[in-house]
Amino acid sequence: MAENDLTLRMIPSLDRQLVFPLLEFVSMKQVYKAEDMLKAKFELLSNTNMVDFTGELYMQIHDTDSLPEDFAKRGEEVIRKLEESEQKTEHIREVIENPEVVGSLRQDKLQNMKLLRENYQCTPEMVLELYKYGQLQYSCGNYGGCADMLFHFSILSTDPELTLSAMWGKLASEILLGNWEVAYEDMFKLKDTIDKTHFKTPGEQLQQRSWLLHWSLFVFFNHPKGRDGIIDTFMLPHYISTIQNACPWILRYLAAAVVTNRRRRAMMQDLVKIIEQVSHTYSDPVTEFVEALYVDFDFDKAASKLEACEGVLERDFFLTGAVDDFVENARFFFAEVYCRVHKRIDMTGLAKRLSMKQEEAEKWIVKLIRDTRMDAKIDFKDNTVVMNPSYNPVYQQVIERTKALVFRSQVLNGAMDKRDSSAAKKDDNKQEQKQRGSGNKQTQQQQQQKTGRRQQETVAVGGGF
């Protein structure tokens, strides 16, 4: 059961508190041993300030009703730190929650900081305390308070590294709170920041994008626009490169999004190319189904992989809610390709490949032919589907291929005319400049001749006097 589980591969790219829902899910699905999962949860949260929860895990692991004294001391220390941070941030929180102050803030962070320093005695150190307080709140599991503190910090901070860190923290908080609309917006703001930031090394930017691919799965598979958003984002060149080089297992989720989103079926060709390129480094039943269907045209293999996909998706944290949609749409793609390849189709054999009952398969195929407007007939006597392939005559193919030539030739002629006219204008300008230059030289010569005559006349007059 753990063969196709991606939890262990995803853990390095997720925050420890984002990993916890995944561990809870695989525990419920009994993918791993219950004892191992309890220990994993305890180790995961032992470095956080969620003292009460880790104490409960400790008692379950050791089968006891009492806790060591360290837990009580840690609890007191956490309370003390929270009180200190609350006092340190009290003044700046009162200031930034004032509607008048909020209305006076601008896009320029330096000007905002100058305004707060001069008018409200708020220093950069106080702004930094907001970040620390938000971190502490997140470590304690108070995600609402963390999101508020990091939001205020990101507005006021002039430190790009800490601002980026705060954006990550706020996104994690919104995900754990289940605020999918806000998380959707924060995710794309973070994506824009990562794409525009000049990191010290290309590897650092690759890592940031890899993290974003993993974190975004929480949002995409819970937001109404997620199935379109994941295709639009993951199909971008930078993120395709990130998937190929850093996290090829993300292809499972991209493939599932394309299969379940029949309106975006045009993206299937691009998906197949990516799967072919990555198949030597990663594959699972989902990617193998696509490859068997569109690359190998091996329908027996595609049918077996489709059957395996159901079990894989049911035990996948992000895809468990999309099993029915995936199977339904995968059958559609399977039947569509199968019907286009074969001239006569045995409905009994097709029903077996699709793991459907005979009557259900017949109704489903009728609906498929109607929806896709295939030129096909159902022969109920022989229990077959007869395809009528429509081949365009040669002259029609020539017309379709040369249809755009007239427009292209017009565009080329227009471009050549513009180039010729611009060249002619340049030649005319050069000639005008030459004429002006020669005219200026003539006028200069004439003026010199006139001045020379005047000098001669004045010399002659002076000598006679």
Side-chain angles (χ1 to χ4, degrees), residues 96 100-107 112-113 115-116 155-156:
I96 59 180
E100 295 181 0
V101 177
V102 173
S104 61
L105 295 177
R106 299 292 180 264
Q107 293 291 331
N112 291 339
M113 198 65 246
L115 172 70
L116 294 177
I155 291 176
L156 302 175

Side-chain angles (χ1 to χ4, degrees), residues 71-254:
F71 282 87
K73 293 180 180 179
R74 282 183 57 196
E76 294 174 357
E77 182 67 16
V78 170
I79 294 173
R80 184 185 63 80
K81 289 180 179 179
L82 285 170
E83 292 175 351
E84 288 181 358
S85 293
E86 188 175 1
Q87 291 176 358
K88 290 180 180 179
T89 58
E90 183 178 3
H91 174 66
I92 192 169
R93 283 188 289 112
E94 290 178 355
V95 171
I96 59 180
E97 290 172 2
N98 187 341
E100 295 181 0
V101 177
V102 173
S104 61
L105 295 177
R106 299 292 180 264
Q107 293 291 331
D108 191 342
K109 291 186 177 183
L110 294 175
Q111 289 295 328
N112 291 339
M113 198 65 246
K114 182 179 179 181
L115 172 70
L116 294 177
R117 186 189 300 111
E118 293 179 352
N119 297 337
Y120 301 98
Q121 293 76 45
C122 294
T123 63
E125 289 75 14
M126 292 181 181
V127 175
L128 182 60
E129 288 297 329
L130 290 174
Y131 176 80
K132 294 179 180 179
Y133 190 32
Q135 274 189 322
L136 185 59
Q137 295 266 30
Y138 183 81
S139 182
C140 294
N142 184 7
Y143 305 118
C146 170
D148 292 339
M149 293 302 104
L150 295 182
F151 171 74
H152 294 312
F153 173 81
S154 60
I155 291 176
L156 302 175
S157 173
T158 56
D159 188 328
E161 292 185 4
L162 288 180
T163 302
L164 181 61
S165 176
M167 293 176 73
W168 281 108
K170 185 175 186 300
L171 175 60
S173 298
E174 301 295 353
I175 289 172
L176 293 167
L177 288 169
N179 295 334
W180 303 120
E181 288 291 341
V182 180
Y184 194 80
E185 295 177 3
D186 289 348
M187 180 187 63
F188 281 104
K189 289 178 183 178
L190 181 59
K191 173 186 169 296
D192 293 339
T193 303
I194 293 172
D195 292 341
K196 294 176 182 178
T197 301
H198 297 285
F199 293 94
K200 296 178 182 178
T201 60
E204 188 176 354
Q205 190 171 46
L206 179 69
Q207 186 183 52
Q208 293 279 330
R209 285 177 174 152
S210 177
W211 290 348
L212 184 64
L213 288 172
H214 288 80
W215 291 39
S216 65
L217 296 176
F218 290 92
V219 183
F220 283 135
F221 287 104
N222 285 284
H223 193 275
K225 299 179 181 178
R227 293 187 184 180
D228 286 322
I230 190 173
I231 296 172
D232 295 334
T233 304
F234 286 19
M235 281 293 189
L236 293 173
H238 291 311
Y239 290 90
I240 290 175
S241 177
T242 302
I243 292 172
Q244 291 173 334
N245 293 294
C247 47
W249 50 87
I250 294 294
L251 271 180
R252 173 188 293 183
Y253 304 101
L254 179 58

